[in-house]
Amino acid sequence: MGSVIRFDAEELLSKLEDSPHAHTKDIIFGLVKKINKWERLIFLLKIRSSIKPSQETELLRVTGEIFLWNDDFNRSGSQPTLKQLDLLKLYYGEQLQYNDHNLSRIMFTIETLVAV
């Protein structure tokens, strides 16, 4: 049996930023579906908060990925660690700049967590 490689959100973000290759983003978006659900959400929120208003296509892509995360949300009973919760609070706050009503039902889940 092969060994398992585990990535967290920060490692994937670092790989994404360090790569000069366009296809790296597609590979990382594929990998992010296999990581811990909270790390996945942290990754997606961090990516989304760095998107400029002029990058509508990219914003829609990441928003779609967050909807996919929401669809998978209840498939695992794991809860975020304190570090993950701190990062979720930080990146959730950055989402408010978009005033995106489409994302509001997912943000309710996050609001519930970060209100703790």
Side-chain angles (χ1 to χ4, degrees), residues 85-116:
L85 199 53
D86 287 342
L87 289 171
L88 286 169
K89 286 178 186 179
L90 172 68
Y91 299 140
Y92 168 75
E94 293 175 358
Q95 300 311 301
L96 301 177
Q97 68 179 320
Y98 296 108
N99 194 23
D100 187 345
H101 299 293
N102 292 326
L103 205 57
S104 62
R105 69 176 187 260
I106 295 171
M107 289 296 128
F108 176 77
T109 301
I110 301 164
E111 279 178 14
T112 303
L113 288 167
V114 299
V116 176

Side-chain angles (χ1 to χ4, degrees), residues 17 22 29 31 43 50 54-56 71 104 109 111 115:
E17 292 168 359
F29 270 89
L31 282 173
F43 173 87
S50 66
S54 62
Q55 298 172 297
E56 181 67 24
D71 290 343
S104 62
T109 301
E111 279 178 14

Side-chain angles (χ1 to χ4, degrees), residues 43-93:
F43 173 87
L44 293 170
L45 290 175
K46 174 63 176 163
I47 290 288
R48 192 171 192 268
S49 53
S50 66
I51 295 172
K52 294 171 181 47
S54 62
Q55 298 172 297
E56 181 67 24
T57 303
E58 191 64 20
L59 184 64
L60 291 173
R61 177 183 184 181
V62 175
T63 301
E65 290 291 331
I66 293 173
F67 280 118
L68 290 174
W69 173 86
N70 191 58
D71 290 343
D72 292 341
F73 174 74
N74 286 321
R75 293 185 186 180
S76 164
S78 72
Q79 297 299 309
T81 64
L82 291 177
K83 179 183 175 189
Q84 289 171 329
L85 199 53
D86 287 342
L87 289 171
L88 286 169
K89 286 178 186 179
L90 172 68
Y91 299 140
Y92 168 75

